[in-house]
Amino acid sequence: MKHTVSILLLFISSLAWAQNPGAKTEKDFYEIKTLPIPQDIYLEIGGIATMPDGRLGVSTRRGEIWIIDNPYQKESHQTYYRRFASGMHEILGLAYKDGAFYCSQRGELTKVTDTDRDGVADRYEPIYQFQLSGNYHEYTYGPVFDKNGDMWVTLNLAWVGFGEGKFSKWRGWLVKISPDGKLEPFAAGLRSPAGYSINLDGDIFYGENQGDWVGSGRVTHLAKGDFAGNPGGLKWAKEPNSPFKLSLEEIPDNGSPMFEAAKKVKNLKLPAVWFPHAIMGISTSDILQDTTGGKFSPFPGQYFVSDQGQSKVMRMGLEKVNGVYQGFCINYREGFQSGILRERFGLDGSMFVGMTSRGWGSTGKDDFGLQRLVWNGITPFEINMIEARTDGFEISFTQAIDVNSVKKAASYALRSYIYKYHHQYGSPIVDVKDLAIKGIVVSADKKKVRIVLDQIRQYFIHEFKLTGVKNEAGELLLHETAYYTLNQIPSGDKVVLNASTNPIVEKVVIEKKVSQLEKTKTTTLISDNEAMALLKKHTCVACHAREEKLIGPSFTDISKRKYSDKQILALVYKPNPKNWPDFATEMAPMSHVPARDVLKIASWINGLTQKKANDALINRD
């Protein structure tokens, strides 16, 4: 029976390949160009600044600023590095303005200049000095300049568990600092705000990492007086110049979703877009709006959000409904050499990507790196935008779609869910519901599809898997899965449902046969191919590999612990960070993964050590 299933699955795979032999990949549209770094330079990048004369400034976690000549590699592939400044402490942000660099050291916002013009900094001028406790987690990011010349800085919380007043003043806050050194607290509730930016309308967005009080990565729009959810910095809300008053005792800690807490805490700001953990990254970093006028991407005005742990760049589309930001996220380009912390546009519209992984695990294999992301001008078949409607959503595409494929119900898999809001580290997805399609309407130009659902849920993440949608050439989407955060349901006309709007429902005979054959299995033992399919399905490979250490331990190392299958199940549902103290990133609870699948994976993991021993024995013989 097992051979029958394998043959049938092979037939299905072969059929799919035959129908789409030339499937496009990200590499066909977006090239990653690597800038060579001399072996004696440890360029653990914390900041990037594009200089108007064509040079590039980068800052490092080792407290240096380097200036790079020929970063666009126009004359040759050779780049030239000169150390401009040194002796500072962990520079995690860099800006260039009016001939000077501005950087955020751990305890200081500093202006760095070369007054005698010999190519090396000789003046280090403190603009503002922050309190420090010595906690390793008190990172400082920025600055980002606004149009008035003021500087914005975000302050990471210390790592001491949950509670109020995590050591130093203004930790967990976004603050504005004037050129003459005056600090204005602006918004609080931040945990690890490594990336933030100001869009063309002057609105500020920041990216958050999963952690205590943060169920998953997210991007939040911050207005003055907003509280973004983590109460670690609320001690400073008692200060006279705080834009709001709030205390830890007022924050519900019962595991209800964040939107329920927002009904009681008026300052609590919900995310504009959730980035589902381990699916759309694990450690959200920088944010950039595409302001290049079509040079960088086929999605001008949209946002590009990087992830340090998964070494990739994602895309985010926003809309405003009832004055509130909301929108979707989708993958864009994976495969960078290290963990992305910074992204900045170059003069030619390409994106410089600065990376570091030491102590912060990532899927990129290198400890650091500097690369450039370049679009070749060809537009892939993609979801262009998702917008909320009163009875569902409207999805626009970059190319005309095949109407027959779009009208089929089997082309879609839709569901909604949310995360818990509590002091624990991360959250599993909760309150999951599949969504049924009641109607489908295609626009006259075949580039938009209106989907009417049996229900839409305010404040929930809506997952779209458009696995069967094709363009008129029969090509599948480059990225088929997107996630929309529905903060507000817009008003407007509903679709009048009739025979013409009904989705086409077909019987999928082959899939039913496979399902029936799978049910006849009497053992949980699975092959490497079956295990890999499950590991990819449940995003385990985002943090784990078979032999290599990534963000989490390798599956082989886990097998050496000799947990039982049921112990692995328990640890997947409720991870214990103390079991793996050498890994900085805690695993989130994954209790939404079916127990049957976890037990299959566990059985496969526990067979790895024995398989390795058998292979060694065979090779020796």
Side-chain angles (χ1 to χ4, degrees):
M1 187 63 70
K2 183 176 181 180
H3 293 301
T4 306
V5 174
S6 300
I7 292 169
L8 184 56
L9 290 174
L10 181 62
F11 167 73
I12 296 170
S13 300
S14 301
L15 183 63
W17 184 87
Q19 292 173 337
N20 195 28
K24 299 291 195 305
T25 68
E26 293 171 345
K27 294 179 182 179
D28 292 309
F29 306 96
Y30 314 115
E31 182 182 0
I32 296 175
K33 297 187 176 184
T34 301
L35 277 69
I37 301 171
Q39 290 185 353
D40 59 343
I41 298 177
Y42 294 89
L43 206 70
E44 299 175 324
I45 296 177
I48 297 178
T50 305
M51 301 173 70
D53 62 3
R55 296 178 298 164
L56 188 72
V58 299
S59 65
T60 75
R61 294 168 64 189
R62 296 175 182 243
E64 301 170 324
I65 297 175
W66 291 81
I67 293 179
I68 304 172
D69 285 294
N70 194 33
Y72 302 92
Q73 300 175 297
K74 290 182 178 179
E75 296 84 12
S76 70
H77 287 288
Q78 184 62 49
T79 52
Y80 304 92
Y81 291 73
R82 185 176 73 256
R83 187 165 61 184
F84 176 77
S86 61
M88 292 179 280
H89 186 189
E90 195 174 48
I91 307 173
L92 295 181
L94 188 68
Y96 185 81
K97 181 177 174 61
D98 299 331
F101 284 105
Y102 295 78
C103 65
S104 57
Q105 300 188 62
R106 178 166 283 241
E108 182 179 287
L109 177 60
T110 312
K111 180 180 180 180
V112 184
T113 51
D114 172 19
T115 60
D116 60 8
R117 300 185 180 182
D118 66 350
V120 179
D122 49 38
R123 181 175 176 82
Y124 297 77
E125 180 182 355
I127 297 174
Y128 191 90
Q129 293 181 322
F130 304 102
Q131 290 183 6
L132 285 177
S133 70
N135 186 280
Y136 84 97
H137 212 246
E138 288 184 340
Y139 309 118
T140 303
Y141 310 102
V144 171
F145 277 91
D146 64 20
K147 62 182 180 180
N148 298 319
D150 291 321
M151 291 162 280
W152 296 82
V153 174
T154 56
L155 301 162
N156 216 95
L157 284 176
W159 184 250
V160 291
F162 76 100
E164 189 181 72
K166 292 192 176 179
F167 297 154
S168 303
K169 193 172 184 179
W170 302 123
R171 289 286 154 187
W173 284 71
L174 166 69
V175 299
K176 181 171 70 172
I177 300 174
S178 62
D180 60 357
K182 294 179 181 177
L183 181 146
E184 177 187 344
F186 188 79
L190 288 61
R191 176 187 172 269
S192 189
Y196 60 101
S197 65
I198 302 173
N199 72 2
L200 290 171
D201 294 325
D203 291 330
I204 300 174
F205 296 87
Y206 97 101
E208 186 61 273
N209 283 273
Q210 184 195 64
D212 52 320
W213 298 98
V214 186
S216 183
R218 60 201 190 202
V219 168
T220 304
H221 165 234
L222 293 177
K224 189 169 185 177
D226 280 343
F227 168 63
N230 191 301
L234 284 182
K235 178 179 180 179
W236 317 115
K238 302 170 186 175
E239 293 291 310
N241 57 339
S242 170
F244 67 94
K245 304 300 178 185
L246 191 64
S247 67
L248 176 64
E249 290 73 28
E250 298 175 71
I251 309 301
D253 187 14
N254 54 17
S256 295
M258 196 175 180
F259 65 82
E260 293 290 351
K263 296 175 183 178
K264 301 176 182 178
V265 182
K266 66 177 183 179
N267 298 86
L268 182 56
K269 188 66 167 287
L270 299 179
V273 177
W274 285 98
F275 283 67
H277 187 75
I279 303 170
M280 296 297 295
I282 61 169
S283 48
T284 313
S285 52
D286 227 351
I287 306 167
L288 273 186
Q289 186 180 22
D290 185 355
T291 57
T292 67
K295 294 180 181 179
F296 172 68
S297 80
F299 308 101
Q302 294 192 17
Y303 301 76
F304 292 85
V305 181
S306 55
D307 188 81
Q308 194 276 332
Q310 289 190 345
S311 306
K312 69 178 180 180
V313 173
M314 302 163 285
R315 177 164 59 93
M316 179 176 73
L318 294 177
E319 63 171 331
K320 257 188 177 181
V321 179
N322 301 328
V324 177
Y325 277 109
Q326 59 190 39
F328 75 99
C329 58
I330 190 169
N331 277 321
Y332 188 72
R333 185 63 162 94
E334 298 182 282
F336 290 88
Q337 69 187 109
S338 189
I340 302 174
L341 189 62
R342 288 287 163 256
E343 49 184 23
R344 290 291 183 269
F345 290 124
L347 301 179
D348 62 350
S350 64
M351 178 190 282
F352 287 102
V353 177
M355 293 160 279
T356 174
S357 286
R358 177 175 55 88
W360 306 329
S362 74
T363 56
K365 300 294 187 291
D366 296 342
D367 289 336
F368 53 83
L370 177 60
Q371 295 180 305
R372 195 158 60 95
L373 184 58
V374 181
W375 175 42
N376 64 11
I378 301 172
T379 300
F381 178 44
E382 284 273 50
I383 294 172
N384 180 51
M385 187 65 186
I386 302 177
E387 296 176 293
R389 295 292 181 260
T390 189
D391 53 1
F393 295 89
E394 184 170 84
I395 305 174
S396 62
F397 299 91
T398 58
Q399 299 172 13
I401 48 87
D402 170 63
V403 176
N404 188 52
S405 71
V406 169
K407 293 284 286 184
K408 291 180 180 178
S411 293
Y412 306 86
L414 310 177
R415 62 176 183 163
S416 60
Y417 54 78
I418 197 60
Y419 294 99
K420 294 181 179 181
Y421 177 59
H422 54 193
H423 74 267
Q424 279 90 353
Y425 194 106
S427 165
I429 62 174
V430 296
D431 200 1
V432 183
K433 287 188 179 180
D434 292 329
L435 304 175
I437 298 176
K438 295 173 61 179
I440 298 174
V441 180
V442 181
S443 65
D445 64 359
K446 301 180 184 178
K447 285 191 173 183
K448 292 183 179 180
V449 177
R450 178 90 174 258
I451 299 175
V452 181
L453 299 177
D454 62 338
Q455 63 171 323
I456 52 175
R457 298 201 284 173
Q458 188 175 9
Y459 307 121
F460 279 73
I461 302 162
H462 289 67
E463 178 185 86
F464 295 81
K465 289 193 175 183
L466 311 184
T467 54
V469 172
K470 300 177 182 179
N471 63 10
E472 290 185 321
E475 298 173 327
L476 295 171
L477 288 159
L478 182 62
H479 297 104
E480 65 183 24
T481 305
Y483 300 86
Y484 187 101
T485 302
L486 185 68
N487 288 323
Q488 295 286 314
I489 299 174
S491 58
D493 296 333
K494 293 184 178 182
V495 171
V496 178
L497 299 176
N498 52 45
S500 66
T501 64
N502 290 339
I504 301 170
V505 179
E506 295 179 334
K507 293 181 180 180
V508 185
V509 179
I510 293 178
E511 289 185 4
K512 286 186 177 180
K513 286 182 179 179
V514 172
S515 178
Q516 290 168 358
L517 289 169
E518 289 286 349
K519 289 178 182 178
T520 65
K521 291 186 176 182
T522 58
T523 176
T524 58
L525 293 176
I526 58 176
S527 68
D528 287 353
N529 288 339
E530 291 172 306
M532 190 53 60
L534 284 174
L535 293 169
K536 287 181 178 179
K537 176 182 178 182
H538 299 302
T539 70
C540 308
V541 291
C543 299
H544 304 275
R546 179 166 178 158
E547 301 288 344
E548 297 173 293
K549 171 183 174 181
L550 294 179
I551 290 94
S554 70
F555 295 119
T556 300
D557 284 341
I558 296 171
S559 71
K560 293 176 182 177
R561 294 287 180 94
K562 297 183 178 180
Y563 298 122
S564 69
D565 292 359
K566 289 186 177 179
Q567 283 177 315
I568 291 177
L569 174 65
L571 289 170
V572 168
Y573 282 6
K574 190 175 182 181
N576 186 353
K578 293 180 181 178
N579 290 351
W580 300 92
D582 295 335
F583 292 85
T585 304
E586 295 186 19
M587 178 176 169
M590 302 288 284
S591 56
H592 60 281
V593 180
R596 180 172 176 239
D597 286 358
V598 177
L599 289 172
K600 285 183 178 182
I601 292 169
S603 176
W604 174 79
I605 289 173
N606 283 329
L608 290 177
T609 304
Q610 185 59 47
K611 186 177 186 301
K612 198 169 185 178
N614 292 342
D615 291 343
L617 193 63
I618 292 170
N619 292 333
R620 187 181 68 185
D621 294 341

